[in-house]
Amino acid sequence: MKKWLVAAAVTAALGATAVQAKEWTDVRIAVDVPYEPFEYKAPDGTLTGFEVDLGNAVCENAKLNCSWVVQAWDGIIPGLKARKYDVIFSSMSITEERAKQVAFTKPYYNTPSGYFAPKASNVNPSDVASLEGKRIGVQRGTIQDNHATDTFGKVAEIKRYTTGDDLVLDLQGGRLDLVLIDFPVGEAAILGASDGANFKTVGENIQLGGGVGAAMRKRDKDLLAIFNKSLDEVKANGTYEEIMNKYFKYNIKM
C-alpha cells in the first residue's frame, strides 16, 4: 500500500511539473505605449523600442512564445492581478510599495529622471521657491509623480497625465512650466522633437527607485525564475549590449 502511495505521489509530481512547464509556453507581456525610446509604435503599427526588443530577446532565449498587450499605466498593476497578462515589462521602477503587490525580477536597467523646461525658463528645481505657482507635469502613478508631489506639492501645481505623450504635448503647448520624466524619454520626445530647440534640461538629473524590473504576480515564482535566468543569459551573450546601443547614446546598464 505504501509503495503504491509513493508511486502515485511521484506520478502526480511529474504530471504537475509537465503542466507547469506547459503553462509558461505562452506568456503575455504588458507595456504602456508610447514611452519612447522604451516602447512605441513604428509607422507600420508594430511595437518596437528598447524594452520590446529586450523582452523579445528574453523570450526567445527562454523558448517562450510571448505576445504584447498595450495597457495604460494607471491600470497596469490591477491588470496583472486580474490575469489580463502575465508580465509587466514597461519601465516599472522597483519600489518598496510596488514590491508589496508584485514580484520583481532583478533590475535590468537604471536611468536617471530629468527635468525639462522651455528654453527661456528660469526655473531651478534645486530652488523650491523658484517653482512657486508653476505647473509641473508628471505621468500619474510614477516615481516622478511621487517625487514631484513630495518635493514641490506645497508650492506648485502638480499636473498628472495618463500618458507621456499628453505630458509632452502640454509642455510644447505652453501649458506646463516644467516636467519630470525618465531622462531618455525626455531626450527623445522633447529635445528630439522638431521643436526641440525650444526646450532644455534644467537642474541635475536625479536617481529615483531601485532600478527597473519586470513585474509578475507573486505566486508565479517559476516564471520569475525563468525571466531572471534569461535576463542573465542575454546580458552574458552580448544581446543586451547590442540592444542598448541601438537605442541609447549613453550607458543605462545596471
Side-chain angles (χ1 to χ4, degrees), residues 105-182:
T105 61
K106 301 172 185 178
Y108 56 84
Y109 82 80
N110 198 1
T111 59
S113 296
Y115 294 100
F116 296 83
K119 192 88 169 185
S121 174
N122 60 358
V123 297
N124 179 7
S126 63
D127 178 12
V128 175
S130 75
L131 292 169
E132 186 166 359
K134 301 296 185 183
R135 301 157 298 178
I136 303 174
V138 292
Q139 190 171 4
R140 183 180 292 108
T142 60
I143 53 174
Q144 292 86 8
D145 181 355
N146 295 338
H147 180 79
T149 301
D150 293 343
T151 308
F152 310 115
K154 292 182 179 179
V155 300
E157 178 187 2
I158 309 299
K159 298 191 70 175
R160 298 173 179 86
Y161 295 82
T162 300
T163 70
D165 259 11
D166 290 340
L167 182 156
V168 171
L169 285 172
D170 266 13
L171 177 68
Q172 293 169 332
R175 294 177 289 277
L176 290 173
D177 302 295
L178 183 70
V179 302
L180 177 60
I181 197 167
D182 274 340

Side-chain angles (χ1 to χ4, degrees), residues 20-173:
Q20 190 178 63
K22 184 178 180 180
E23 180 182 354
W24 298 122
T25 299
D26 299 307
V27 175
R28 299 159 298 166
I29 306 177
V31 284
D32 171 35
V33 177
Y35 202 66
E36 191 175 353
F38 295 99
E39 41 264 340
Y40 57 98
K41 287 188 177 180
D44 64 359
T46 58
L47 281 175
T48 189
F50 171 75
E51 283 178 298
V52 175
D53 283 7
L54 180 59
N56 284 332
V58 167
C59 290
E60 182 178 354
N61 181 74
K63 295 180 172 55
L64 296 172
N65 178 30
C66 293
S67 57
W68 294 87
V69 179
V70 174
Q71 168 66 52
W73 183 259
D74 54 4
I76 206 162
I77 288 181
L80 178 70
K81 290 182 172 182
R83 303 189 68 84
K84 292 181 179 178
Y85 32 83
D86 309 299
V87 179
I88 298 170
F89 210 84
S90 190
S91 295
M92 180 168 281
S93 295
I94 300 169
T95 66
E96 289 185 14
E97 183 179 356
R98 287 173 181 156
K100 294 175 183 177
Q101 302 184 69
V102 300
F104 282 104
T105 61
K106 301 172 185 178
Y108 56 84
Y109 82 80
N110 198 1
T111 59
S113 296
Y115 294 100
F116 296 83
K119 192 88 169 185
S121 174
N122 60 358
V123 297
N124 179 7
S126 63
D127 178 12
V128 175
S130 75
L131 292 169
E132 186 166 359
K134 301 296 185 183
R135 301 157 298 178
I136 303 174
V138 292
Q139 190 171 4
R140 183 180 292 108
T142 60
I143 53 174
Q144 292 86 8
D145 181 355
N146 295 338
H147 180 79
T149 301
D150 293 343
T151 308
F152 310 115
K154 292 182 179 179
V155 300
E157 178 187 2
I158 309 299
K159 298 191 70 175
R160 298 173 179 86
Y161 295 82
T162 300
T163 70
D165 259 11
D166 290 340
L167 182 156
V168 171
L169 285 172
D170 266 13
L171 177 68
Q172 293 169 332

Side-chain angles (χ1 to χ4, degrees), residues 3-19:
K3 290 182 179 179
W4 182 88
L5 289 173
V6 170
V10 170
T11 301
L14 290 173
T17 301
V19 170

Side-chain angles (χ1 to χ4, degrees), residues 185-206:
V185 177
E187 184 180 49
I190 299 172
L191 302 184
S194 58
D195 61 349
N198 297 327
F199 302 94
K200 64 181 180 180
T201 60
V202 294
E204 297 291 329
N205 290 343
I206 53 177

